[in-house]
Amino acid sequence: MYAHEVSAAMSAIDRRRFLPRNQRPYARDDRPLPIGHGQTNSQPRTVADTLRLLQVPRGARVLDVGSGSGWTTALLAHLVGSSGSVVGVEIDPDLAEWGAANLATYPMSWARIEVAEPGVLGRPTMGGYDRILVSAAAQVLPQELVDQLSIGGRLVIPVQHVLVLVEQHLTGTVTSRHGSYSFVPLIGS
């Protein structure tokens, strides 16, 4: 079910708009591309895998940790639609500003990118998030992100380059592992 929605989002949101000019000729390449500040725009196949695993429904409240160029934030915004909301957080102020400008090229007022608060992983909010996507590898599963999930929520995060799905239930969390991927390190984890 979610494969079709993810494919539609990736067709609707042009990766080129989220790349530096010198990387735009490579936008169709299935590989990570440098965006400056030691960060990358993730490999499209990897992004599609994480989004399928996240299973983003319409109307969801979503947190995008490590939003970088804004591409994943825009993809998430497309998936949730105007009845949902997406907040992207980025630790590098210059990248956050650039990512927000890239995101603004699409008319999706329900999505925004902000600079991450120093010393805070994620963006705690009342009620938590239905979905959390992390696009950088943690050394261990950060409990502070798990704590930001609402009941029924899903978190997808690379932990030591293994993609981990965390599902929040009334009775606790369930984690599962879903393959090995290469990501830049999660700062502050």
Side-chain angles (χ1 to χ4, degrees):
M1 173 177 151
Y2 291 98
H4 173 71
E5 285 85 353
V6 169
S7 293
M10 294 189 82
S11 293
I13 306 297
D14 185 3
R15 186 184 189 205
R16 281 178 49 85
R17 291 191 190 184
F18 298 88
L19 293 171
R21 287 199 186 284
N22 66 340
Q23 294 300 314
R24 289 179 183 167
Y26 313 109
R28 291 182 182 264
D29 292 1
D30 189 30
R31 62 184 172 106
L33 296 171
I35 59 172
H37 305 268
Q39 303 301 309
T40 62
N41 178 285
S42 295
Q43 178 178 3
R45 184 176 29 171
T46 299
V47 171
D49 289 348
T50 61
L51 293 176
R52 281 192 296 271
L53 193 56
L54 200 58
Q55 296 183 2
V56 181
R58 286 278 196 218
R61 287 178 54 168
V62 181
L63 176 64
D64 184 20
V65 178
S67 58
S69 69
W71 186 43
T72 54
T73 307
L75 290 165
L76 290 163
H78 186 275
L79 289 167
V80 301
S82 60
S83 61
S85 65
V86 180
V87 60
V89 291
E90 171 56 52
I91 197 152
D92 185 291
D94 293 334
L95 274 182
E97 182 180 341
W98 180 62
N102 293 338
L103 179 63
T105 66
Y106 285 93
M108 296 185 290
S109 59
W110 57 94
R112 67 186 190 282
I113 295 174
E114 301 172 350
V115 178
E117 294 179 39
V120 177
L121 187 55
R123 180 62 47 100
T125 189
M126 279 298 257
Y129 296 95
D130 302 310
R131 300 293 186 267
I132 300 175
L133 176 64
V134 182
S135 297
Q139 287 300 307
V140 297
L141 179 62
Q143 187 61 43
E144 59 254 67
L145 288 179
V146 175
D147 292 344
Q148 293 174 49
L149 276 177
S150 63
I151 300 300
R154 295 169 74 96
L155 160 66
V156 173
I157 179 172
V159 178
Q160 294 186 10
H161 300 289
V162 173
L163 206 55
V164 174
L165 168 64
V166 179
E167 298 172 271
Q168 185 74 279
H169 301 285
L170 279 171
T171 55
T173 58
V174 175
T175 61
S176 55
R177 299 162 60 90
H178 298 270
S180 183
Y181 294 82
S182 182
F183 284 88
V184 296
L186 179 62
I187 299 169
S189 67

